[in-house]
Amino acid sequence: MSQWEFTGSDGTFRLERADEVRGVYFPLANEAGYMASICPDGGGDAKTDQNHFLMPPVSAIDLHNSRLKRTAWVCSPGREPWSVTGASHAQKSRRDEAHQIEAGLLWHRSVRSSASGEYEAEVLSFAPAGPETLEVSRIRLRNTGSTRLELSMLSVVPLYGRSADSLRDHRHVTALLNRVKVVERGVHLVPTMSFDERGHRRNDTVYSVLGRDSTGSAPVGAFPDLERFIGEAGDAEQPRVVFDAQYRAAERKTAGGRADGCEAIGALQFPAVSLSPGEDYSLYVISGVFPSTDHAEAAADRYCSPEGFSKAFAANRSFWAGKTAPVLCSVNDGRFEQWMRWVSVQPILRRIYGCSFLPYHDYGRGGRGWRDLWQDCLALLLMEPRDVRTLLLSNFAGVRFDGTNATIVGSEPGSFIADRNSIPRVWMDHGAWPVLTVKLYVDQSGDLGLLAEEQEYFSDSLWARASERIAETRTTQGAVYTGSVFEHMLLQQLSVFFNVGDHNGLRLEGADWNDGLDMAAEHGESVAFSSLYAANLLWLADAAERLEVEGRPLALADEILILLDRYTGATVNYNDPAAKRDRLRTFFETAKGGPSGTTTRVDASALAADLREKGNHLLRHIRETEWVESAGGDGWFNGYYDNRGQRVEGDAPGGPRMTLTGQVFSLLSGAATPKQVKSVIAAADRLLLDPAVGGYRLNTDFGEVKLDLGRCFGYAYGHKENGAMFSHMAVMYAYALFARGETAAASKVMQMMYRAAAAFERSRMYPGLPEYFDPDGRGLYCYLTGSASWYLLTVVTRMFGVRGSWGDLVLDPQLEAAQWNGGATVSVSTCFRGRQLRVEYANPANLDAGDYRVGAVLLNGSPVEFRRNAAGDAAGVTIPGTSLPESDSVITVRLDDARSGA
């Protein structure tokens, strides 16, 4: 099995015989909303949303099952037709052609040579970085033989032109709506209507395939009807139009022709040409989704020429290089550095695709979920922070006044949908992520003012954490209620804090981060996320006091004071779950008709004291009551209670039960003592670590289908949320270990993930991070995973230690000596306080983390004042953010021996 190799310094890679690997695909997309996938053999699909698929929708299984794929055919008298993507029956059966994939940031090139030695074909495809939703391909054929060739070429793009829902629902009936018009340069598919039994609508969307060749000639005709294209006894791998010249001549339609009520195809026949040995001939083909035929024709004018194609391709490469340029790391290891470029582009891809629309992501109807919205902002803060403040503020419009939130993000900032499938449910972790993201924003920017900004609340019929339906929530006067960002976050934490199960852990409800834990709504508890909420409460306490110091007093809706029991004096016994639930019900009943609209200015110190008592109570409870000792000599935290109210983790008759999630947030929040941290590491190494799958599994094998906890236990063990090496939680484990000073353990996690993903002979994936690795080490669900944001965040803010703290700059590296790879310096570039920083570390004594500390710091070549950090990260220093210049800067850091006492 070949291994992909980088060919330059910009992330471009090459892979031999990629067509022999099942299931690999590559994204072609742009920020205008074009979303496509392309495989080495031209497979994949393209769309702009759930209801507008240019090509037939595909799932991962279709990548090798479906015969309808992008290709082009070479027809030469006396020779068998040849597919530039290896699509013919004969080519597939022989498997004797040289084939290579080369790809860079959002462009894809396939190069294939015929077994006869006569042809070499290159197909170069990308989605231009502009306002159009289309892809552009140059199909270049070279005569590599020794004799002149007489030939013609026929390009093929499968067309679908409707909603993915119609794939199984009225597929034939919706084909009857199709109207395909043949024009000078190709075909326009314009269905008469959008089929929807809830109400059919007139269709104005145009699906087009247009082209010209390198001589400037238009096609001589087209074949718009799929069934007539393949013929009665043919198929897409041996279409009769291609293999029967007489039939081809009879079926070809010229400008003005049409095909009605059929499955469509964009098959364009180009003029016959004569190629001398060594001579090239190219087709320039666009395929896309357009608002009108005029828009499609204008796009063809722009791209279907050698000059237009080359200009667009250069612009596209420059655009995507610029997208990844703000975060670059240099560790004297070019392979890792370039691999990180692909990790950096993944959060951008998730903004475009959401969590749908790639072959493995064959669920949902587009859009991102609530959790994705906030976690994708983590990477944006390091890469493109300019618009993040506006984005964060708009995101809070999805929070309800009961502390829950809409779960699906609309197409525009600030627009939300209650639930993808119209199911009333609550993910208990959703309220935690906004605080985590806003904390990073404040740390990186110093902008506490965001917390004082006003935003409206999301209003629908769901109330009391989706347990009731009421009239939409507005003020009692009928106005839309608004509150500060701080109030939104506070309400999300308080609503969860009082919503506890019988073991005083926060209720699991519909699920937490692990969507597979969705069958314990009545009695399940998430101890894991109780830890994160505790940390959030403590941060909000600090933020309240800082807002007061900045002269930004806080006013809260009167109803929220019900949940601030320590502040008001109407105290609740936090060790009594029933009393806490009663207090929450009181709040729900009081605010049920909508908030009164009146607010009370609160004393920041008293509010902070209330929140700290709540946060510290949770941490003590977890530390003291959820720790489980194992017969193996170590221990870990129980992360869950099932729907029978039984503790999930610990020693069990079938073997120890442990989840990684239950440990991550206990470490990160500070619930775990230093001794417990060491024990968790030992237990995770003993029970969860599996180098064969790239690191730490999400859980041990429980050996049963736990219908009292979640659907994931019905999955085969080692897949997805049932014991896979799940990248997201694995990298969060590394982040938590770094945060607790366990550098060696954290670095091991990061290195194992990188090596597993980059070892193509096992991972079978292009550069980047997958959602998870299956039991064979294959990376699945590539490109659209939140783990990429967390990996990027961990590398920059923990491994290199370049991060903010309330707007001041912290330099606290946790790099191991080996990561200098023999070089004099390592460096990282990132955005901080709106400007670009490059931080370089010199380690002249070749010391490991724990043995060095920051010695000297130069800012643009001049010494800069700093203060040493507290005992927890004593190797690092803090530079006041206000001392940094407004322009981009270079910071040079020398690391000295911390053991010398100097």
Side-chain angles (χ1 to χ4, degrees), residues 827-884:
S827 67
V828 68
S829 299
T830 187
C831 294
F832 182 77
R833 290 184 72 109
R835 75 271 286 173
Q836 191 73 19
L837 291 184
R838 177 180 169 87
V839 179
E840 300 176 350
Y841 291 110
N843 184 9
N846 198 35
L847 300 168
D848 269 322
D851 294 336
Y852 59 66
R853 68 173 186 170
V854 171
V857 182
L858 300 180
L859 175 61
N860 296 325
S862 300
V864 64
E865 294 294 324
F866 59 78
R867 64 177 183 272
R868 295 213 168 270
N869 294 342
D873 52 359
V877 299
T878 299
I879 301 171
T882 53
S883 69
L884 298 174

Side-chain angles (χ1 to χ4, degrees), residues 537-619:
L537 287 163
L538 297 179
W539 185 81
L540 287 174
D542 292 343
E545 292 177 332
R546 285 177 176 266
L547 283 167
E548 185 79 13
V549 170
E550 284 197 2
R552 301 177 188 272
L554 287 167
L556 301 176
D558 286 351
E559 291 79 6
I560 296 176
L561 300 181
I562 295 169
L563 303 177
L564 295 172
D565 58 303
R566 291 333 193 234
Y567 180 87
T568 61
T571 59
V572 174
N573 180 1
Y574 292 164
N575 292 314
D576 184 345
K580 291 165 82 174
R581 293 191 293 262
D582 285 344
R583 180 56 58 92
L584 184 61
R585 278 193 292 270
T586 299
F587 166 75
F588 287 150
E589 286 301 315
T590 302
K592 190 172 186 177
S596 65
T598 60
T599 61
T600 297
R601 178 173 171 175
V602 295
D603 177 83
S605 297
L607 173 62
D610 180 296
L611 299 181
R612 288 193 180 105
E613 186 161 352
K614 288 177 168 66
N616 286 322
H617 159 77
L618 274 174
L619 293 180

Side-chain angles (χ1 to χ4, degrees), residues 51-52 163 177 191-196 199-203:
N51 296 316
H52 297 91
S163 170
L177 305 174
T192 57
M193 66 176 66
S194 177
F195 185 92
D196 187 339
H200 308 304
R201 299 182 305 280
R202 178 184 179 87
N203 170 69

Side-chain angles (χ1 to χ4, degrees), residues 628-634 636 648-657 686-687:
V628 295
E629 298 283 353
S630 171
D634 45 38
W636 60 91
V648 169
E649 301 187 49
D651 287 342
R657 294 184 172 185
R686 178 170 68 92
L687 299 174

Side-chain angles (χ1 to χ4, degrees), residues 261-319:
C262 61
E263 290 287 357
I265 190 167
L268 314 183
Q269 183 181 353
F270 287 83
V273 295
S274 178
L275 291 185
S276 299
E279 190 175 0
D280 290 344
Y281 170 70
S282 297
L283 310 181
Y284 297 90
V285 179
I286 66 166
S287 52
V289 183
F290 302 95
S292 70
T293 56
D294 287 345
H295 283 84
E297 295 289 345
D301 290 340
R302 193 155 36 252
Y303 300 117
C304 290
S305 68
E307 299 79 13
F309 180 90
S310 296
K311 181 179 178 181
F313 182 49
N316 195 66
R317 294 190 71 168
S318 176
F319 176 84

